[in-house]
Amino acid sequence: MIIAVAGVAGTLGGSFLTQRASERAKRREIELLRDQEEVRESLLLRRTCYLELNRDARQFTTALNRHLHIMRERGAEETDIEALDEAKGAHRDRYSEAQMIAPDEVLARASEVNQALNTTYGQVKRLEGQVPGPGETVATAVRAQAEIWDMLRAMRTAMRHDLGVTAQE
């Protein structure tokens, strides 16, 4: 009788242990799949943010260039001012988003671009209002705006590296 009870207990215990091991394996598999999905979602979120930040920073830079040309040729009109301000606003929104998503290396490059864009924008607005700061001329604003392109390239390189598109230099 004892042997029969031990046999039944062993069979039931073995089934129970096998079932527990199977449940643990399934839980680990689900956690692994969940982790992989989170990595994919994070990558997609960063890629979308970087795409929009790069686009809007380039458009703001181009809008500054266009505005400087208009100021030299004929003077800025209300529609020109609105176009520049819209580009600035779009960039501000994207940069704010990047501040919450981008890792430090990318954010450092984006911050450089943001500061340069805002500094140049301020200079352009002072020139537009005919109250330039010391040493500010349309020529200095044009040079400042042109220098932003190199910063944009560095920002884009950092973004591409973070996304795994290119190796770090």
Side-chain angles (χ1 to χ4, degrees), residues 117-156:
L117 284 166
N118 286 321
T119 299
T120 305
Y121 175 82
Q123 188 174 0
V124 166
K125 295 308 273 184
R126 286 187 295 278
L127 290 167
E128 182 183 270
Q130 299 179 350
V131 288
E136 290 182 339
T137 65
V138 172
T140 61
V142 167
R143 278 195 300 278
Q145 181 274 328
E147 291 171 359
I148 296 171
W149 291 109
D150 288 333
M151 293 177 214
L152 285 169
R153 279 188 278 283
M155 179 182 75
R156 184 180 62 240

Side-chain angles (χ1 to χ4, degrees), residues 6-162:
V8 170
T11 303
L12 292 175
S15 295
F16 177 74
L17 291 175
T18 302
Q19 181 180 359
R20 296 265 308 167
S22 175
E23 287 174 2
R24 269 184 289 201
K26 279 186 177 185
R27 248 182 301 188
R28 275 184 270 163
E29 183 179 339
I30 289 170
E31 288 173 10
L32 180 62
L33 289 172
R34 195 174 297 140
D35 290 346
Q36 289 173 345
E37 184 62 27
E38 285 177 15
V39 167
R40 270 194 299 274
E41 286 176 10
S42 175
L43 182 65
L44 179 61
L45 181 63
R46 287 193 331 271
R47 184 175 53 206
T48 301
C49 175
Y50 293 170
L51 179 137
E52 292 174 352
L53 178 61
N54 184 57
R55 178 198 62 215
D56 290 342
R58 292 175 61 84
Q59 287 178 343
F60 188 14
T61 304
T62 301
L64 282 166
N65 184 49
R66 181 180 177 277
H67 201 79
L68 285 163
H69 283 296
I70 288 170
M71 285 173 58
R72 282 190 296 207
E73 293 172 6
R74 61 173 164 80
E77 297 172 358
E78 190 61 33
T79 57
D80 304 317
I81 294 167
E82 287 172 6
L84 179 59
D85 289 342
E86 285 176 20
K88 181 184 188 311
H91 174 268
R92 179 197 59 236
D93 293 346
R94 285 321 132 236
Y95 178 68
S96 295
E97 183 180 346
Q99 287 179 309
M100 298 296 114
I101 295 171
D104 291 342
E105 182 182 334
V106 172
L107 192 55
R109 298 295 183 192
S111 179
E112 289 174 4
V113 169
N114 185 59
Q115 289 173 3
L117 284 166
N118 286 321
T119 299
T120 305
Y121 175 82
Q123 188 174 0
V124 166
K125 295 308 273 184
R126 286 187 295 278
L127 290 167
E128 182 183 270
Q130 299 179 350
V131 288
E136 290 182 339
T137 65
V138 172
T140 61
V142 167
R143 278 195 300 278
Q145 181 274 328
E147 291 171 359
I148 296 171
W149 291 109
D150 288 333
M151 293 177 214
L152 285 169
R153 279 188 278 283
M155 179 182 75
R156 184 180 62 240
T157 298
M159 290 172 176
R160 290 172 56 84
H161 171 68
D162 180 52

